């Protein structure tokens, strides 16, 4: 599985000290991970990578043999659905003659890659094509820089006929060798950027007298054979899903920089997992241009002038071609750099981003690229350094997997504050919530510890979406409303941040109102926000199979009931902190609804009692509890009309989902022993689906059965079997880092019950972990005595929290992270009695779990609650008929 390139990068990493040295962005780029492995900053708007043809190109690039069609500046990370974004591709090619010999459509111009030339680290991506052209990219927040190297392109002998074959052979000596041979380390130190490209590509200065100017028209009537030209193609319309809507534009203009031609404009496309369409804007600068043209399929490319006038583009296969002056290329060792700014607001903003973030005069030389690249890397190290791990006794593979997983947790959502025209607001705007159903379980709880400023902005952005659209979203991407997957899990996301004391500039009063809106007011189109079946559920205590609420897709009744119940619990916690006793009571009560779907008679694999769907008339619909699990109808349960009553997981798995009242679940299943046995059967019989988010928390549930040792065994088994540092090392869609954050928490040795303040303890996989809160200046530490890489000594024997014995197999957020603190473990070879008695179990509602929310005193952020004022009837477009 691991080829030489991977091994070498591991060895290089071992000698280094900063987190990004350990990051391998290619993990999860095949086998369904759909990870975006390209260049981006933390939460960056622009995510630049080479796009591939093929089925698994949701994240743009795929680790397989599919072809490459260009580098594009916008992507989402780890998503399912149809591939997202990928428009505005820039692609170098050598055209054998004039522009009409260039290959235009993405399929006709697509090139194979040279295996073994893939290179990536945070903020950088590079690859070499089969034709010898090398593509590299680096970024700032809203701008991508490209570096294209026309290896072997002969700029000195204009009359030599093109000989692609010969060129290719020459390059074979110069380029990194193919797979399975030693490859030079991917990242040379970039501290001192080289002032010019590596020597091999630079023709001797002064060589060739015919390179210096545009060749004059031949005087003789017999023209020489056509001269191949180095061309940069810009593809306006072909996003990954081919969703161009016709309403775009292009404008060619000159800038203050000599020889630079700018093409800027707009495209209109369809969101990959959502309603309506979206518009996005670009501004591309190309230097060294000899001549340029626009193209539209079905017509010959047409030379144009830089008139500065915007032209509408209707043809869905359109773009621009720039021929690069051979002299310009020659002077730069056959490299050329282009710069593209992208804005969700307008074209002018796209150009402003380009010039502000990578200024004129500082973007089109080799060293400029290196400066941007090293700044990007520094930004990542600054973010990742919030966590420090002592790696003594930890395998290199594991360290790579850990830091790569950490890295992937901060790629999305994206911060596009100020860069949209959806509505007038001074609040932050974040996009690519893709989807909260996935990310609320791990990604946002991780931010609640490691990126609290970002998380506060995210909460404000979500509340502002409620303010302006009327409801909280589950999914949003490309400024468009996305399809809701299950419950209104933004409620649990908000509750999670609230109980973890995230307050910075947040109007929590509005926050609570937004949650209550979800629970009480049915949107006109609940497929994209809020909840369905609100009235029916109120009457029946569950969402019925045959719900008749108009406004969307009627499926998922059982899993929605479970999620709404847990979402309501989050509302109750926040209302409680505000001192709204009646409201809290109402929502605590509603959070018991899941019990109404507990069918004590349903049997599977020797266990009785499962969550089953019910009709309005009260009768049950029998669903095989294994249905939707890997052993039965695994791919039947998505967002479609016959998707069934459980979304993306089986009744077996959902029957463990009552996080706020696991004690009640354990009781219904027949007590702790049966519960633990049932968990074992669930995993061993193959009903568990680690490739989907509901499969996370269930690995840690043995703690509720008083068997934290079994949690340790299970978590280690899952990590070892399904997560590893290779392209296939993520077992399902990474979903904006949801899987990555699962690995991160598992490595910390505790897992969040997202939406509550509770962390379930497993065992740390580093001897010492330090968390710094850069805002508060506080530090939390987890120290594990007797650590041996969790090889033999993997069971907790004893624990101490801030100097006091900790007998519980869980702790609350504030106990360790509130003002900082120290959690110590002593580990040994045999399971101990630690964390096994009833008093040691994590809190549950039915057993009076007062720690589900914040500890005493932290409720101070909740001021008087102002009366409900629902704004959903204001503002444009709350209805999105399909
Ligand atoms: C471009 O400008 C030249 C010189 O002014 C003119 O001859 C030519 O027709 C123009 N081409 C287009 C496509 O406007
Ligand atoms: C988000 O973007 C805005 C505008 O650029 C910036 O002020 C803010 O600091 C960013 N937030 C984070 C967490 O980086
Ligand atoms: C609790 O919820 C049930 C429906 O699940 C309802 O019948 C009952 O009246 C509620 N009780 C209170 C006190 O709100
Ligand atoms: C309840 O409704 C379902 C679906 O319409 C139907 O199949 C079932 O027979 C009904 N049960 C009773 C007891 O009427
Ligand atoms: C909550 O945060 C505020 C300020 O951000 C701080 O003053 C307070 O001590 C925190 N409370 C707890 C329990 O950590």
């Amino acid at each position: 599985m691991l080829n030489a390139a991977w091994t070498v990068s591991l060895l290089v990493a071992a000698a280094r000290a900063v987190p990004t040295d350990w990051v391998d962005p290619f993990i999860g780029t095949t086998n369904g991970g759909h990870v975006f492995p390209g260049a981006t900053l933390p939460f960056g708007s622009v995510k630049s990578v080479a796009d591939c043809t093929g089925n698994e190109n949701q994240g743009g690039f795929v680790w397989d043999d599919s072809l490459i069609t260009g580098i594009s500046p916008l992507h989402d990370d780890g998503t399912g659905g149809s591939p997202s974004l990928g428009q505005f591709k820039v692609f170098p090619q050598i055209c054998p003659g004039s522009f009409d010999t260039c290959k235009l459509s993405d399929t006709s111009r697509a090139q194979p890659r040279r295996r073994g030339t893939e290179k990536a680290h945070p903020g950088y991506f590079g690859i070499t094509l089969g034709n010898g052209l090398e593509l590299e990219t680096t970024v700032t927040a809203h701008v991508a820089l490209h570096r294209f190297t026309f290896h072997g392109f002969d700029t000195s002998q204009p009359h030599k006929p093109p000989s692609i074959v010969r060129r290719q052979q020459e390059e074979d000596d110069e380029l990194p060798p193919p797979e399975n041979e030693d490859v030079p380390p991917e990242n040379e130190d970039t501290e001192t950027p080289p002032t010019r490209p590596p020597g091999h590509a630079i023709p001797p200065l002064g060589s060739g007298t015919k390179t210096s100017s545009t060749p004059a028209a031949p005087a003789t009537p017999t023209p020489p054979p056509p001269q191949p030209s180095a061309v940069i193609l810009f593809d306006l319309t072909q996003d990954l899903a081919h969703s161009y809507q016709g309403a775009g534009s292009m404008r060619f203009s000159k800038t203050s920089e000599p020889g630079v031609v700018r093409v800027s404009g707009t495209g209109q496309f369809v969101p990959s997992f959502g309603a309506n369409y979206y518009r996005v804007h670009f501004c591309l600068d190309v230097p060294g241009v000899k001549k340029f043209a626009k193209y539209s399929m079905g017509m010959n490319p047409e030379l144009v002038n830089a008139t500065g006038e915007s032209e509408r583009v209707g043809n869905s296969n359109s773009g621009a071609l720039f021929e690069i002056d051979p002299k310009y290329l020659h002077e730069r060792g056959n490299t050329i750099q282009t710069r593209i700014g992208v804005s969700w607001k307008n074209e002018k903003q796209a150009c402003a981003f380009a010039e502000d973030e990578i200024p004129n005069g500082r973007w089109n030389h080799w060293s400029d690229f290196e400066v941007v690249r090293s700044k990007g890397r520094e930004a990542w190290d600054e973010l990742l350094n919030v966590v420090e791990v002592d790696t003594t006794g930890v395998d290199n593979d594991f360290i790579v997997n850990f830091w790569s997983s950490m890295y992937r947790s901060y790629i999305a959502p994206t911060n596009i504050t100020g860069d949209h025209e959806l509505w007038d607001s001074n609040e932050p705007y974040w996009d690519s919530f893709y989807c909260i159903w996935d990310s609320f379980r791990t990604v946002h709880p991780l931010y609640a510890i490691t990126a609290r400023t970002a998380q506060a902005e995210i909460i404000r952005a979500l509340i502002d979406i409620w303010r302006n659209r009327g409801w909280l979203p589950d999914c949003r991407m490309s400024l468009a409303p996305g399809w809701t997957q299950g419950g209104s899990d933004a409620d649990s996301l908000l509750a999670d941040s609230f109980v973890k004391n995230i307050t910075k500039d947040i109007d929590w009063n509005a926050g609570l109102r937004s949650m209550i809106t979800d629970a009480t007011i049915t949107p006109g189109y609940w497929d994209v926000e809020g909840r369905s079946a609100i009235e029916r559920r109120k009457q029946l205590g569950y969402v019925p199979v045959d719900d008749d609420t108009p406004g969307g897709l009627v499926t998922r009744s059982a899993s929605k009931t479970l999620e709404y119940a847990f979402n309501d619990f989050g509302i109750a916690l926040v209302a409680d902190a505000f001192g709204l006793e009646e409201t809290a009571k109402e929502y605590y009560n509603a959070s018991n609804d899941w019990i109404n779907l507990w069918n004590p008679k349903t049997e599977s694999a020797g266990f009785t009692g499962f969550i089953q769907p019910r009709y309005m008339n009260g009768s049950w619909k029998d669903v095989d509890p294994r249905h939707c699990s890997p052993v039965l109808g695994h791919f039947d349960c998505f967002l479609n009309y016959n998707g069934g009553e459980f979304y993306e997981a089986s009744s077996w798995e959902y029957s463990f989902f009552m996080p706020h009242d696991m004690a009640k679940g354990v009781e219904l299943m027949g007590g702790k022993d049966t519960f633990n046995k049932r968990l074992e059967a669930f995993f061993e019989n193959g009903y568990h689906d680690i490739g989907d988010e509901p499969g996370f928390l269930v690995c840690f549930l043995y703690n509720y059965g008083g068997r934290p040792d079994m949690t340790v065994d299970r978590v280690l088994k899952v990590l070892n079997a399904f997560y590893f540092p290779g392209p296939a090392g993520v077992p399902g869609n990474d979903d904006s880092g949801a899987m990555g954050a699962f690995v991160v928490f598992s490595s910390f040795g505790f897992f969040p019950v997202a939406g509550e303040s509770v962390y379930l303890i497993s065992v740390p996989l580093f001897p010492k972990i330090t968390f710094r809160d850069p805002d508060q200046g506080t530090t939390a530490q987890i120290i594990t005595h007797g650590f041996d890489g969790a090889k033999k000594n993997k069971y907790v024997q004893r624990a101490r929290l801030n100097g006091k014995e900790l007998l519980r197999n869980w702790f609350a957020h504030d106990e360790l992270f509130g003002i900082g603190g120290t959690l110590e473990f002593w580990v040994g070879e045999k399971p101990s009695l630690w964390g096994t008695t009833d008093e040691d179990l994590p809190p549950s509602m039915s057993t009076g779990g007062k720690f589900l929310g914040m500890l005493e005193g932290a409720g101070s952020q909740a001021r008087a609650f102002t009366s409900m004022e629902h704004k959903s009837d204001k503002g444009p477009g709350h209805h999105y008929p399909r």
Side-chain angles (χ1 to χ4, degrees):
M1 174 51 61
L2 297 189
N3 64 32
W6 293 85
T7 318
V8 170
S9 69
L10 299 193
L11 292 177
V12 171
R16 295 177 170 192
V18 293
T20 55
D21 292 331
W22 295 97
V23 173
D24 183 341
F26 290 113
I27 295 172
T29 48
T30 183
N31 192 33
H34 299 173
V35 162
F36 163 80
T40 189
L41 294 188
F43 314 116
S45 174
V46 158
K47 305 192 192 304
S48 183
V49 83
D51 288 324
C52 294
T53 57
N55 304 327
E56 277 211 75
N57 62 354
Q58 275 84 350
F61 181 81
V62 194
W63 190 275
D64 61 9
D65 287 319
S66 58
L67 306 178
I68 290 172
T69 59
I71 288 198
S72 71
L74 293 172
H75 292 90
D76 278 312
D77 173 49
T79 69
S82 64
S84 232
L85 304 162
Q87 54 276 82
F88 309 153
K89 291 188 218 300
V90 181
F91 197 54
Q93 60 177 293
I94 295 166
C95 303
S98 56
F99 281 145
D100 53 13
T101 65
C102 296
K103 295 191 171 141
L104 304 178
S105 73
D106 57 359
T107 43
S108 68
R109 69 177 187 250
Q111 279 288 325
R113 72 197 70 189
R114 280 199 190 172
R115 293 312 293 262
T117 64
E118 307 88 349
K119 297 177 286 184
H121 63 70
Y124 170 82
F125 176 91
I127 194 158
T128 301
L129 305 177
N131 63 8
L133 302 196
E134 185 177 355
L135 281 50
E136 295 173 283
T137 182
T138 185
V139 294
T140 56
H142 308 87
V143 185
L145 207 52
H146 315 116
R147 178 161 68 200
F148 301 119
T149 306
F150 288 77
H151 283 294
F153 179 67
D154 194 337
T155 52
S156 62
Q157 299 181 54
H159 295 297
K160 202 177 74 182
S163 173
I164 307 287
V165 175
R166 210 177 72 74
R167 264 206 304 279
Q168 185 123 6
Q169 280 163 354
E170 283 166 9
E171 287 149 27
D172 282 340
D173 303 332
E174 302 161 357
L175 290 165
E179 237 178 322
N180 300 326
E181 290 177 39
D182 277 352
V183 172
E186 42 148 317
N187 328 308
E188 298 302 340
D189 249 334
T190 54
E191 294 303 298
T192 354
T195 49
R196 39 180 239 159
H200 71 257
I202 309 178
L205 282 175
S207 74
T209 50
K210 292 170 180 165
T211 59
S212 55
S213 63
T214 312
T220 57
T222 348
Q227 170 70 4
S229 47
V231 169
I232 301 292
L233 174 145
F234 169 72
D235 182 338
L236 168 70
T237 56
Q238 291 190 306
D239 60 329
L240 286 166
H242 293 125
S243 75
Y244 188 66
Q245 295 293 290
S249 66
M250 272 197 298
R251 181 199 311 271
F252 293 89
S253 52
K254 291 255 157 50
T255 72
S256 59
E257 298 181 282
V260 171
V261 176
R262 167 171 291 183
V263 57
S264 58
T266 298
Q268 184 165 311
F269 306 88
V270 174
S272 57
F273 194 70
N276 295 3
Y277 59 82
Y278 64 90
R279 288 172 73 73
V280 62
H281 317 274
F282 68 93
C283 183
L284 172 72
D285 285 332
V286 184
V289 175
K290 191 170 135 192
K291 59 182 190 212
F292 54 103
K294 63 179 181 185
Y295 72 83
S296 277
M297 282 312 265
M299 286 169 275
N300 275 337
E302 196 184 317
L303 291 182
V304 283
N305 289 332
T307 60
E309 271 163 42
S310 180
E311 250 190 82
R312 200 184 148 104
V313 179
N315 187 306
S316 65
N317 195 340
S318 305
L321 296 164
F322 302 87
E323 183 183 336
I324 307 308
D325 188 341
K327 176 165 179 274
Y328 181 90
L329 271 183
H330 178 81
E331 286 166 359
R332 284 163 179 75
N334 278 7
T335 67
I336 174 172
Q337 288 175 196
T338 59
R339 172 182 73 178
I340 188 167
V342 180
S343 165
W344 292 93
K345 190 174 191 172
N346 56 43
E347 182 184 334
K348 203 168 146 224
Q349 183 63 59
C351 298
F353 278 144
E355 294 183 3
D356 289 352
E357 293 182 11
I358 316 179
N360 287 353
R362 289 175 38 199
W363 60 274
N364 57 10
H365 291 87
W366 187 276
S367 59
D368 300 330
F369 186 97
E370 295 306 319
V371 167
V372 174
R373 166 173 160 161
S374 58
K375 275 191 186 156
R377 202 165 173 153
E378 279 163 27
W380 276 107
D381 276 317
E382 191 184 327
L383 174 95
L384 297 175
N385 269 326
V386 169
V387 172
E388 188 186 322
V389 289
D390 176 352
T391 55
T392 312
V394 184
D395 294 344
N396 276 356
D397 269 8
F398 190 81
I399 306 171
V400 169
N401 206 23
F402 170 79
W403 281 116
S404 306
S405 300
M406 264 293 271
Y407 163 75
R408 295 203 311 276
S409 304
Y410 307 92
I411 294 177
T414 53
N415 179 8
I416 53 172
T417 298
D419 185 30
H420 71 89
E421 284 179 336
L422 289 171
W423 47 71
D424 266 342
S425 170
N426 292 322
E427 287 298 282
Y429 186 82
W430 288 58
D431 201 57
S432 286
F433 292 102
Y434 203 150
C435 300
I436 288 173
W437 182 88
D438 304 289
S439 62
F440 90 93
R441 302 162 204 262
T442 52
V443 172
H444 296 283
L446 183 60
Y447 297 172
I449 299 172
T450 60
R452 291 172 66 85
T453 301
Q455 182 62 13
E457 290 178 21
I458 288 165
I459 298 290
R460 286 168 61 196
L462 289 172
I463 293 173
D464 209 41
I465 291 167
W466 162 77
R467 220 175 258 129
N468 288 283
R469 283 197 49 89
W471 288 269
L472 293 168
D474 178 44
C475 259
R476 268 185 85 83
M477 73 285 305
S478 324
L479 303 185
W483 309 126
T484 298
Q485 299 205 78
S488 56
D489 293 328
D491 305 340
S492 298
L493 190 163
L494 260 62
D496 190 80
S497 286
F498 182 85
V499 298
K500 292 169 185 173
N501 198 24
I502 291 182
T503 54
K504 199 173 180 187
D505 300 325
I506 300 175
D507 178 356
W508 270 115
N509 213 304
L512 177 55
R513 277 162 43 204
S514 73
M515 296 162 84
I516 292 179
T517 303
D518 273 351
T520 54
I521 300 177
T522 307
Y525 190 31
W526 44 256
D527 264 353
V528 297
E529 53 209 350
R531 296 186 187 180
S532 68
I534 290 173
E535 294 308 316
R536 287 292 175 212
R537 178 173 165 241
K538 207 180 257 175
Q539 287 160 9
L540 302 164
Y542 57 89
V543 176
V545 177
D546 46 351
D547 175 40
D548 54 359
T549 316
L553 184 64
V554 182
T555 57
R556 300 156 285 158
S557 65
S559 52
K560 272 185 183 173
T561 301
L562 291 161
E563 289 183 42
Y564 291 161
F566 184 57
N567 301 151
D568 281 348
F569 178 76
I571 300 177
L573 286 183
V574 180
D576 217 351
F578 271 95
L580 299 171
E581 273 179 42
E582 282 311 306
T583 309
K585 227 192 246 168
E586 181 190 337
Y587 285 95
Y588 281 130
N589 183 40
S591 77
N592 285 320
D593 270 5
W594 64 274
I595 299 171
N596 299 323
L597 290 192
W598 190 263
N599 188 340
K601 299 209 175 99
T602 308
E603 210 201 308
S604 181
F607 294 88
T608 48
F610 285 88
I611 293 289
Q612 290 283 283
R614 284 174 92 170
Y615 293 102
M616 277 202 265
N617 63 16
S619 49
W620 299 97
K621 175 177 179 180
D622 291 326
V623 174
D624 188 325
R626 299 169 305 162
H627 185 232
C628 313
S629 82
V631 304
L632 185 71
H634 191 193
F635 299 113
D636 287 354
C637 308
F638 294 110
L639 211 51
N640 46 36
Y641 282 94
N642 47 12
E645 307 311 316
F646 295 90
Y647 186 67
E648 292 195 11
S650 61
S651 163
W652 257 95
E653 196 156 299
Y654 274 112
S655 295
F656 290 113
F657 187 75
M658 55 293 302
H660 52 305
D661 206 354
M662 285 310 304
K664 185 73 186 170
V666 171
E667 181 197 316
L668 290 173
M669 289 182 227
K672 287 190 292 182
D673 282 353
T674 320
F675 175 76
N676 294 328
K677 285 196 187 108
R678 185 168 168 151
L679 279 169
E680 284 300 87
F682 167 72
F683 288 105
E684 296 302 320
N685 294 351
Y687 308 150
H688 178 230
D689 183 2
I690 190 58
D692 215 325
E693 282 71 11
F696 291 165
L697 179 61
V698 68
C699 300
F700 294 79
L701 291 183
Y702 299 93
N703 283 32
Y704 290 94
R707 290 297 301 272
D709 59 310
M710 290 172 85
T711 291
V712 170
D713 288 336
R714 183 56 57 191
V715 171
L716 292 177
K717 211 166 171 177
V718 164
L719 283 187
N720 290 334
F722 297 105
Y723 292 90
F724 53 89
V730 178
N733 299 161
D734 197 33
D735 289 320
S736 307
M739 300 254 157
F742 170 78
V743 172
V744 169
F745 276 116
S746 301
S747 311
F748 288 162
F750 62 86
F751 196 78
V753 183
E756 299 173 7
S757 172
V758 173
Y759 298 114
L760 308 176
I761 294 169
S762 50
V763 70
L765 302 177
F766 293 99
K768 186 168 157 194
I769 307 167
T770 308
F771 301 85
R772 296 194 191 84
D773 182 334
D775 300 329
Q776 291 196 98
T778 55
T779 299
Q781 278 195 337
I782 298 183
I783 297 165
T784 304
H785 304 281
F787 181 85
D788 68 350
K791 290 190 175 64
K792 286 194 177 130
N793 295 343
K794 55 185 172 182
Y795 303 111
V796 175
Q797 310 290 307
R798 194 187 144 199
R800 208 157 58 177
L801 179 58
N802 301 325
K804 284 194 202 133
E805 285 301 307
L806 179 76
L807 303 174
R808 295 174 262 138
N809 64 35
W810 64 279
F811 62 96
H813 178 88
D814 289 347
E815 292 181 295
L816 185 60
F817 299 110
I819 51 166
T822 304
L823 178 56
E824 282 171 282
F825 294 108
W826 283 262
V827 289
E829 289 184 28
K830 297 227 169 64
S832 73
L833 289 176
W834 174 84
T836 57
T837 74
D838 281 351
E839 293 76 61
D840 305 336
L841 306 186
S844 284
M845 202 169 68
S846 60
T847 51
K850 65 170 177 159
F851 286 109
L852 292 163
M854 285 175 294
L855 293 179
E856 303 291 322
S860 56
Q861 59 177 291
R863 287 166 294 275
F865 183 69
T866 55
S867 67
M868 282 287 298
E869 184 210 332
H870 183 56
K871 297 214 185 154
S872 68
D873 9 74
K874 292 188 207 151
H878 296 301
H879 301 271
Y880 286 89
R882 280 198 272 189

